Amino acid sequence: MYEQCLPENSIDLSISAIAAHYLSKIVCQIKHGVFMGEADDNEQRLMKEQARADWRDFIISRGRELKPGGVFITINVTSDEDNNVISQLDKGMHHLGSFVTDMAREGVITQEEYLAINFNGHYLRKASDLKEPFTSALPEVESLGLELVSLKTMKHFLHHPTFDIVDKDETEKREYSRGIVDSVSSWMHHVILGGLSSSRTEEDKQNILDQFFDRVRAYAYAHSDHEPYIIVTEVVIKKGDVTYHK
């Protein structure tokens, strides 16, 4: 994703959604949690540095692929100016890390597995971070004729039949908690699985995954008044009439 994927000057319109928060490589292990927001200062520094390099590569690679006059639209998970971040359950996504911490403390997973279960992504970027390739006078951005057309940060509430019901009955609470697990498992499943020891049986791995998502489900059921949302920033870039040459 952070390299050129298609021929130069071949695309009129390019769109990427909820992808570029992932880092291209692992630069550290988060020692006391799972997510970047739980990382210490040095761990966060390493992740931010990699994220900045990745974002530059992402913009330049997409710029090479665009035809002159072409447009690139990307929507990324970010924070906002008030430091709000994605919150799929009460207390935010960082609370998902607390379930993993509890499982390590209880001996469900080993300390080695705990250290290996990290979400390798920078979801704490702000608008200024996404502007950086255009404010740093990068030669590649200038030679490609890339222009930052617009940048907009939005709070988007997730849609589900039970998410916005204020006074839920027992059936609605169960359906709400299932919906929360569904919204988390699509990306959290591989984070947990990727950290588990290769010496474990497939059955053992599945039991650990089930335990984690059972904890998420129980917590969501107990806090079913929370309306889940994500913070995203939309970036629109246009390529001018300058044709890029290597």
Side-chain angles (χ1 to χ4, degrees):
M1 185 170 68
Y2 298 109
E3 300 175 357
Q4 186 174 333
C5 303
L6 298 166
E8 295 176 9
N9 303 315
S10 63
I11 302 298
D12 292 299
L13 174 64
S14 181
I15 299 174
S16 171
I18 319 298
H21 59 288
Y22 287 103
L23 302 184
S24 63
K25 62 182 179 181
I26 297 172
V27 293
C28 66
Q29 284 187 319
I30 300 171
K31 295 186 292 293
H32 301 296
V34 175
F35 299 98
M36 186 176 179
E38 301 172 282
D40 63 27
D41 290 345
N42 185 58
E43 292 162 353
Q44 285 207 12
R45 178 185 60 80
L46 292 171
M47 296 179 79
K48 287 177 180 178
E49 288 175 354
Q50 185 61 49
R52 182 174 69 168
D54 286 345
W55 179 244
R56 287 180 171 188
D57 289 343
F58 189 58
I59 295 300
I60 292 167
S61 295
R62 304 292 79 77
R64 287 172 176 159
E65 295 164 349
L66 286 177
K67 294 178 181 178
V71 174
F72 173 46
I73 302 168
T74 177
I75 299 171
N76 295 289
V77 178
T78 62
S79 62
D80 61 18
E81 294 307 313
D82 296 321
N83 297 314
N84 295 309
V85 296
I86 181 173
S87 181
Q88 289 174 288
L89 72 169
D90 186 63
K91 292 187 180 179
M93 73 179 296
H94 298 157
H95 201 61
L96 291 169
S98 73
F99 302 139
V100 182
T101 301
D102 289 344
M103 291 169 72
R105 186 182 301 115
E106 296 164 13
V108 178
I109 59 175
T110 67
Q111 184 63 24
E112 290 76 15
E113 288 173 322
Y114 176 59
L115 290 174
I117 297 175
N118 282 179
F119 182 78
N120 189 42
H122 183 2
Y123 53 90
L124 302 176
R125 285 188 180 107
K126 295 186 183 296
S128 58
D129 297 311
L130 299 178
K131 287 180 182 177
E132 191 274 336
F134 302 92
T135 59
S136 296
L138 294 179
E140 297 93 336
V141 171
E142 292 183 354
S143 66
L144 286 166
L146 298 181
E147 172 193 355
L148 180 61
V149 176
S150 66
L151 190 148
K152 180 181 179 182
T153 299
M154 300 163 280
K155 185 177 185 179
H156 174 72
F157 287 92
L158 304 181
H159 296 297
H160 186 276
T162 63
F163 283 179
D164 58 355
I165 296 174
V166 177
D167 296 315
K168 300 177 180 62
D169 59 26
E170 294 303 305
T171 300
E172 290 165 342
K173 287 181 179 179
R174 286 194 293 272
E175 181 62 24
Y176 170 90
S177 62
R178 282 195 294 268
I180 295 297
V181 169
D182 288 343
S183 72
V184 170
S185 61
S186 61
W187 54 269
M188 191 64 184
H189 179 277
H190 78 275
V191 176
I192 302 291
L193 187 61
L196 299 181
S197 172
S198 59
S199 65
R200 289 188 181 273
T201 65
E202 293 304 311
E203 181 180 7
D204 194 16
K205 291 177 181 179
Q206 188 58 54
N207 286 336
I208 291 171
L209 284 164
D210 290 344
Q211 282 196 50
F212 174 79
F213 288 112
D214 283 346
R215 292 171 192 240
V216 176
R217 185 178 295 104
Y219 184 85
Y221 180 91
H223 298 83
S224 60
D225 56 340
H226 176 72
E227 190 173 1
Y229 61 84
I230 60 174
I231 306 293
V232 296
T233 299
E234 175 196 78
V235 183
V236 180
I237 297 163
K238 182 177 181 180
K239 185 172 183 176
D241 292 331
V242 177
T243 302
Y244 173 72
H245 298 286
K246 282 189 176 180

